[in-house]
Amino acid sequence: MHDDDERMVDEAFQRLLDSYLNSPHRKKTELITKAFQFAREAHKGVRRLSGEPYIMHPLAVAQIASAEVGLGSTSICAALLHDVVEDTDYTVDDIRTLFGPKIATIVDGVTKISGGIFGSQASVQAENFKKLLLTMSEDIRVILIKICDRLHNMRTLESQPANKQYKIAGETLYIYAPIANRLGLNKIKDELEDLSFRYEHPEEYQSIVSKLALTQEERDQLFRQFTAPITQTLNEMGIQHEIRMRVKTPYSIWQKMRKKHVAFEDIYDILAVRIIFIPHDPANDVNECFNIYIALNKIYRSHPDRLRDWLSHPKPNGYQALHVTLMSKQGRWIEVQIRSERMEEKAEGGMAAHWKYKDKDDATDNERDNDLNHWLTTIREVLDDPQPDGMDFLDTLKLNLYSSEIFVFTPKGEMKTLPKGSTCLDFAFNIHTFIGSHCIGAKVNHKLVPPSHVLDNGDQVEIITSSAQHINPDWINYATTAKAKSKIMVVLRRQNTEWQKQGEAKLKAFLEQHQRQYTSSAIYKLTLHHGKVRPEELFIAIGKGTITLSDTDLEALKGKRRQQNGWKKYVPFLKSDVDNDNPADAGGKFIVDDNFNRKKPVVITDDTLQQYIIAPCCHPIPGDDILGYINNNRRIEIHNRACHIADRLKSTYGNRIVDAKWQLSQDRLFDATIRITGIDRIGMLKEISEVISEKMSVNMHKITLTCEEGIFDGTIEVRVADRNEVDDISESLRSIADMQSVQHIR
């Protein structure tokens, strides 16, 4: 290691020690120094892709754990050692001998593993994550350090090739940011989301950052004008306070633009105001929040439907505050968050920072632990049921991470916390698996309702069961919690396994009876013929009897496929994947072999376009941010990076992701769909047509409009060369009088 490197490492370690010494933890600098020196020697001579000594990464993770999460010496040592077992010859037993069982257990939990708990077809990432969760359910520090590790990896993601960037960013958005949110690590959650957004959609990220910078002066002025009378009132009340401006993150703005189909300029809640006060009586800070709220209502009019009381019922991650939306003198609704210093500390550091593992030997506050214990119990229950499919596992686990909560009551008045949108069935499984499995209905507020009934805040629920009732496949459609879905899926998988075996046997017998070979090509042709996505779905349907094999199947095998709804859109993207028994003869599609370089981008040109599958789920067009996914047949599917299917693929099959670039001429046309809404009037349809057909000279393929009470809503299907053309059309449509919203949706 060069002298400059030595100096850089020593300075980083000194910053870590300074951060730790400034914390309220017991001072165990000898243990931390010992862990640092051990890790430094273990990683000696190794460098990261960025070129810096590898030890800088464990140091950075430990710094985040100490300064940004507030963890103590045990966690800092584990962070310093977290890559030693994975990347060197040292073992967990070595760590246990030198640093004790606690640190060794955490290091073992954080260390990435290989090997199968889902099977050879599963995602290694899902396997790693399950191992992490198994350890996390015993020691929360494991996931905290893993989040610190992921945050530093995201901060240094620039040195990675593009395909790795998409994989890591996709995992981060899909799993790590939601867990940081669930643990109350709000700042870290925001940064993880923004960094993922920056690498997956660099142009859109930069566009929003630039627009935020351009509108900063306007927000500053609005903030000053809005808060001046609030400051005066609070001063008159003798309340020591601080008022801060909170601006929506680029990722949350982008999400709202996509969800609401609006432009940046149409988002009016970019600015929020946070009031942090020192209570006269710390034990009575909840009442003082309400006193401030009453005072604000004398200054501004509040929105009756936007009062959020997180004081009486804190979020499961421990968050407490009172949110109120007020109408400013400038005619803008502004959200105001009212919280005490204690609440602010908890909101910024999260429940995790106040968890019992702060390296203290004294007993902890049991009330504080209850919500997190409940969540960890739910995780243990989900993990109790082995999931053979990595994607199903991640989806099931993710269900409750971002959900808002409701509070419902048992007949005896016991309160239960459930995700918003939960049904009676979810409530039944929350009580007990047996009750959920035999649920036939419920009484909600003494009124009889079906199991699918969606619960509201404050409902009192009594579950009605019957020994004759058993889990129904339809239940999966209206169960929303991870616990309910996982229990239902276990039973359904058992049923499906049996049906699949029966279906395969029936199909083999059918083909043999008609002198046809049982080949992968025949199976895929019949899979598409019956509108299924995977062969397993076909086998299950045949086994259940919902599909009866007949002469039409023989015609499909000959290539005379029936036409059905959606078929014409579906076949062009998958046709060449199923027409050939020989993988080497792929109908012109590119086949990924062992020599394929996954670090280089796939370039889509006029000559190579037909070699790739353009995914029908998101239908990307030139100009969209895209990636490639190597499917089970070794063909490459092209997805929009923001596609919901691509999100799952990045998280679950990250090693199959490749970078992809457009290099097409303007000669080819792609379908694009634009959604429009506005105020209806005479001549509106004519103006829309003129803008597209005459002004833009674009081929308008289809237009669908509905009008109700003077408001129209509809879609326009056009054929364009690239994304820029869609943006130009959208801009021109927005210029039409009474047009309210224009958004490219597909």
Side-chain angles (χ1 to χ4, degrees):
M1 196 181 290
H2 300 300
D3 290 344
D4 289 345
D5 290 339
E6 293 277 2
R7 187 162 48 252
M8 177 173 62
V9 171
D10 289 339
E11 288 173 355
F13 179 60
Q14 189 58 51
R15 284 195 299 273
L16 174 62
L17 280 183
D18 291 343
S19 169
Y20 173 65
L21 290 170
N22 287 329
S23 73
H25 295 285
R26 289 179 297 160
K27 309 309 177 210
K28 295 184 178 180
T29 54
E30 299 86 358
L31 184 65
I32 293 174
T33 303
K34 178 182 175 183
F36 163 66
Q37 290 172 345
F38 181 81
R40 186 180 200 172
E41 186 62 30
H43 295 298
K44 190 174 182 179
V46 181
R47 294 185 177 272
R48 302 189 83 207
L49 286 179
S50 60
E52 66 182 14
Y54 192 88
I55 187 61
M56 290 299 292
H57 169 64
L59 276 169
V61 175
Q63 180 72 29
I64 294 169
S66 175
E68 300 184 47
V69 182
L71 298 175
S73 59
T74 301
S75 302
I76 292 171
C77 289
L80 288 168
L81 300 167
H82 79 273
D83 276 337
V84 166
V85 174
E86 180 188 1
D87 296 338
T88 74
D89 293 332
Y90 290 103
T91 66
V92 175
D93 288 336
D94 295 328
I95 303 295
R96 187 177 292 108
T97 301
L98 290 167
F99 298 97
K102 281 188 180 180
I103 292 174
T105 299
I106 298 171
V107 170
D108 187 36
V110 177
T111 300
K112 294 189 289 290
I113 62 167
S114 57
I117 45 181
F118 293 134
S120 59
Q121 299 301 315
S123 157
V124 174
Q125 172 63 11
E127 293 182 28
N128 295 339
F129 199 74
K130 182 166 184 177
K131 171 70 188 313
L132 183 148
L133 289 172
L134 284 165
T135 314
M136 181 191 95
S137 65
E138 301 302 325
D139 193 328
I140 196 70
R141 287 173 293 192
V142 173
I143 191 64
L144 294 175
I145 294 170
K146 191 66 179 176
I147 287 172
C148 297
D149 177 44
R150 179 50 58 112
L151 179 57
H152 184 248
N153 284 335
M154 290 301 299
R155 286 174 176 173
T156 56
L157 196 59
E158 192 171 358
S159 58
Q160 293 283 352
N163 63 319
K164 285 288 185 69
Q165 289 179 349
Y166 305 150
K167 169 190 179 293
I168 294 169
E171 290 170 1
T172 301
L173 271 183
Y174 200 73
I175 292 293
Y176 289 99
I179 285 189
N181 174 72
R182 187 60 181 74
L183 294 174
L185 301 169
N186 297 315
K187 278 187 175 179
I188 289 177
K189 185 265 296 184
D190 287 345
E191 187 174 355
L192 288 174
E193 289 176 339
D194 277 348
L195 287 168
S196 299
F197 177 37
R198 172 186 165 190
Y199 284 103
E200 288 210 281
H201 305 281
E203 291 181 6
E204 293 180 68
Y205 171 82
Q206 197 53 54
S207 172
I208 292 175
V209 168
S210 299
K211 288 176 180 177
L212 282 172
L214 288 171
T215 54
Q216 181 64 48
E217 188 176 338
E218 177 188 340
R219 279 194 303 278
D220 289 344
Q221 184 178 358
L222 177 61
F223 175 76
R224 287 192 298 270
Q225 293 172 344
F226 179 75
T227 57
I230 296 176
T231 299
Q232 182 179 345
T233 298
L234 295 180
N235 287 339
E236 290 171 357
M237 294 171 66
I239 296 175
Q240 294 185 54
H241 69 281
E242 179 185 358
I243 301 181
R244 299 177 187 168
M245 177 167 62
R246 180 183 174 276
V247 178
K248 265 188 183 296
T249 63
Y251 176 76
S252 62
I253 291 171
W254 180 67
Q255 283 287 80
K256 190 155 192 176
M257 289 167 63
R258 292 176 64 207
K259 185 178 179 181
K260 300 288 187 182
H261 300 302
V262 295
F264 175 90
E265 292 73 21
D266 296 325
I267 297 178
Y268 294 108
D269 60 346
I270 289 176
L271 169 68
V273 170
R274 184 173 294 163
I275 299 173
I276 302 153
F277 67 94
I278 301 174
H280 296 104
D281 177 7
N284 201 31
D285 58 354
V286 169
N287 286 340
E288 291 195 42
C289 285
F290 281 106
N291 290 337
I292 292 173
Y293 166 65
I294 292 169
L296 295 183
N297 269 276
K298 295 178 181 178
I299 306 171
Y300 297 112
R301 181 165 59 89
S302 62
H303 195 297
D305 298 325
R306 294 191 188 174
L307 178 65
R308 298 289 180 266
D309 178 10
W310 301 113
L311 299 172
S312 309
H313 300 292
K315 292 183 179 182
N317 61 19
Y319 179 85
Q320 272 189 299
L322 188 64
H323 292 195
V324 57
T325 302
L326 303 174
M327 174 59 75
S328 68
K329 304 297 184 185
Q330 292 74 31
R332 297 275 290 274
W333 288 110
I334 297 177
E335 183 183 78
V336 179
Q337 302 166 358
I338 307 168
R339 60 178 74 150
S340 66
E341 274 193 329
R342 174 187 66 84
M343 299 172 191
E344 171 70 8
E345 179 189 354
K346 202 164 190 177
E348 292 304 306
M351 180 181 291
H354 301 275
W355 183 240
K356 56 186 163 190
Y357 299 118
K358 285 188 86 172
D359 302 309
K360 295 179 180 178
D361 295 328
D362 54 310
T364 54
D365 181 355
N366 289 329
E367 184 178 348
R368 179 192 297 156
D369 300 345
N370 284 342
D371 286 330
L372 191 53
N373 269 328
H374 176 74
W375 184 60
L376 293 174
T377 300
T378 300
I379 285 177
R380 291 186 197 109
E381 290 171 347
V382 173
L383 294 171
D384 283 342
D385 298 317
Q387 305 261 354
D389 185 279
M391 192 173 284
D392 284 346
F393 166 70
L394 291 178
D395 283 348
T396 301
L397 187 74
K398 189 175 185 292
L399 280 171
N400 300 103
L401 292 178
Y402 261 145
S403 300
S404 300
E405 291 78 22
I406 60 171
F407 304 96
V408 293
F409 298 89
T410 67
K412 293 183 179 180
E414 182 185 355
M415 189 177 77
K416 299 287 184 180
T417 304
L418 291 170
K420 187 176 181 180
S422 292
T423 62
C424 293
L425 191 65
D426 294 309
F427 181 84
F429 276 102
N430 183 273
I431 300 296
H432 196 279
T433 301
F434 179 85
I435 293 174
S437 301
H438 297 280
C439 173
I440 59 172
K443 287 183 179 178
V444 176
N445 305 326
H446 309 291
K447 180 182 177 182
L448 191 63
V449 297
S452 58
H453 177 80
V454 177
L455 298 172
D456 288 325
N457 219 10
D459 281 347
Q460 190 169 34
V461 187
E462 178 185 353
I463 299 298
I464 302 170
T465 61
S466 168
S467 57
Q469 176 69 293
H470 298 286
I471 286 178
N472 187 314
D474 291 338
W475 286 7
I476 202 68
N477 297 322
Y478 49 83
T480 64
T481 62
K483 182 176 181 180
K485 273 191 176 289
S486 64
K487 297 296 182 185
I488 294 167
M489 286 301 296
V490 167
V491 175
L492 294 182
R493 273 195 298 273
R494 285 197 214 109
Q495 293 176 352
N496 287 344
T497 299
E498 185 58 36
W499 281 327
Q500 184 175 333
K501 289 178 182 177
Q502 294 176 13
E504 285 187 76
K506 286 181 181 180
L507 180 57
K508 284 180 181 177
F510 174 79
L511 293 174
E512 287 174 5
Q513 180 186 347
H514 294 88
Q515 290 80 49
R516 304 287 300 191
Q517 286 188 325
Y518 184 80
T519 64
S520 59
S521 173
I523 293 169
Y524 271 102
K525 286 179 181 178
L526 292 178
T527 299
L528 294 181
H529 173 65
H530 287 285
K532 304 298 182 184
V533 176
R534 297 183 301 168
E536 291 82 358
E537 296 175 13
L538 174 69
F539 298 146
I540 290 168
I542 295 172
K544 289 170 67 175
T546 54
I547 288 179
T548 303
L549 298 170
S550 64
D551 291 343
T552 58
D553 294 283
L554 298 175
E555 294 298 315
L557 291 173
K558 295 175 184 176
K560 298 177 181 177
R561 303 190 181 102
R562 65 177 181 177
Q563 296 293 318
Q564 59 186 34
N565 290 339
W567 183 249
K568 289 183 180 179
K569 290 183 180 178
Y570 198 61
V571 171
F573 305 123
L574 297 178
K575 179 179 177 182
S576 57
D577 248 9
V578 301
D579 278 351
N580 300 281
D581 292 336
N582 181 3
D585 179 17
K589 294 297 183 202
F590 177 76
I591 300 290
V592 175
D593 59 22
D594 294 339
N595 296 320
F596 180 72
N597 187 344
R598 302 187 183 209
K599 293 184 178 180
K600 286 188 176 181
V602 169
V603 180
I604 304 174
T605 66
D606 291 326
D607 295 331
T608 63
L609 176 62
Q610 298 303 319
Q611 295 180 15
Y612 307 108
I613 301 167
I614 306 299
C617 50
C618 52
H619 203 187
I621 64 175
D624 284 339
D625 293 333
I626 56 173
L627 54 76
Y629 165 68
I630 303 169
N631 68 19
N632 291 336
N633 295 322
R634 293 185 287 136
R635 277 68 158 182
I636 296 179
E637 299 174 11
I638 303 300
H639 288 264
N640 192 313
R641 284 181 221 156
C643 167
H644 68 285
I645 298 295
D647 285 342
R648 302 172 76 215
L649 295 174
K650 284 177 287 189
S651 305
T652 316
Y653 300 106
N655 59 326
R656 298 193 196 176
I657 299 298
V658 294
D659 190 14
K661 307 289 185 188
W662 298 106
Q663 276 190 16
L664 287 170
S665 66
Q666 298 285 310
D667 297 337
R668 295 178 181 272
L669 295 180
F670 293 79
D671 288 332
T673 303
I674 297 172
R675 184 182 178 189
I676 56 174
T677 57
I679 300 168
D680 192 28
R681 57 175 170 78
I682 295 173
M684 175 60 81
L685 182 58
K686 180 184 177 185
E687 287 188 44
I688 292 171
S689 301
E690 286 176 349
V691 163
I692 296 174
S693 301
E694 297 178 18
K695 182 179 177 182
M696 303 301 301
S697 300
V698 170
N699 179 9
M700 184 164 61
H701 183 55
K702 181 180 178 182
I703 183 167
T704 305
L705 290 178
T706 58
C707 182
E708 188 172 341
E709 297 182 359
I711 303 296
F712 71 82
D713 187 352
T715 58
I716 306 170
E717 294 180 19
V718 292
R719 288 180 174 164
V720 296
D722 56 27
R723 162 71 69 165
N724 289 334
E725 205 164 349
V726 176
D727 293 341
D728 290 343
I729 294 168
S730 300
E731 195 61 38
S732 295
L733 288 171
R734 290 189 187 100
S735 67
I736 297 175
D738 297 323
M739 183 71 73
Q740 299 298 310
S741 173
V742 179
Q743 188 73 15
H744 176 212
I745 59 174
R746 188 171 63 83

